[in-house]
């Protein structure tokens, strides 16, 4: 057993890396990946530039099918708010060009833009409370 397989994880073990609004998307992706390659290994899961980023590997599996499933989830992630799952879009704080990007709904945008909302270990934290 090599070092990577000793710490092999799948999406459920790392779902806390992103917000609760993307959990349904991650559950669907996990189910798809398990169908394609039951022993898949998650090598990366994060939010970047407002969208989901997923890297997976599986010995003997069709890499293009795995990548296709991950790419579809990444493309879908820019529609639901990462905080709550409501319809949203990629925005920057205060709509400033070049700022930090996050997929957020209209109701949550003001609080996120004002630095009140954040995601910590998969949970939404509101600094006003």
């Amino acid at each position: 057993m090599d070092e990577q397989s000793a710490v092999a994880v799948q999406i459920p073990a790392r779902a806390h890396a992103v917000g609760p609004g993307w959990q349904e998307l991650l559950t669907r992706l996990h189910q798809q990946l398990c169908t394609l390659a039951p022993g898949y290994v998650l090598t990366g899961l994060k939010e970047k530039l407002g969208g989901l980023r997923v890297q997976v590997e599986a010995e003997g599996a069709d890499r293009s099918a795995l990548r296709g499933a991950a790419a579809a989830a990444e493309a879908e992630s820019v529609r639901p708010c990462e905080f709550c799952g409501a319809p949203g879009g990629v925005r920057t704080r205060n709509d400033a060009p070049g700022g930090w990007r996050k997929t957020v709904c209209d109701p949550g945008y003001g609080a996120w833009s004002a630095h009140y909302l954040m995601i910590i270990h998969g949970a939404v934290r509101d600094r006003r409370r």
Side-chain angles (χ1 to χ4, degrees):
M1 178 180 286
D2 65 12
E3 184 177 325
Q4 183 178 6
S5 61
V7 294
V9 296
Q10 294 187 336
I11 288 173
R14 293 272 305 145
H16 65 273
V18 298
W22 288 349
Q23 296 307 307
E24 181 180 323
L25 174 63
L26 288 177
T27 298
R28 285 194 319 269
L29 177 59
H30 173 66
Q31 292 167 346
Q32 291 172 335
L33 294 172
C34 284
T35 299
L36 294 169
Y40 83 88
V41 175
L42 182 69
T43 59
L45 176 67
K46 64 183 176 181
E47 179 273 335
K48 184 173 183 177
L49 299 174
L52 179 66
R53 298 297 182 265
V54 181
Q55 291 96 30
V56 295
E57 295 177 358
E59 254 183 68
D62 179 351
R63 288 182 180 203
S64 65
L66 292 174
R67 184 64 204 133
E74 290 173 354
E76 184 181 343
S77 72
V78 298
R79 291 189 297 273
C81 175
E82 187 181 358
F83 292 104
C84 69
V90 177
R91 307 222 9 215
T92 59
R93 284 207 164 119
N94 299 317
D95 288 326
W100 182 17
R101 296 172 186 225
K102 177 76 79 186
T103 299
V104 63
C105 61
D106 287 342
Y109 173 71
W112 172 72
S113 192
H115 298 263
Y116 295 134
L117 289 182
M118 64 187 86
I119 297 169
I120 299 174
H121 201 70
V124 176
R125 301 286 188 247
D126 189 333
R127 298 172 90 177
R128 296 172 291 189
R129 296 179 190 166

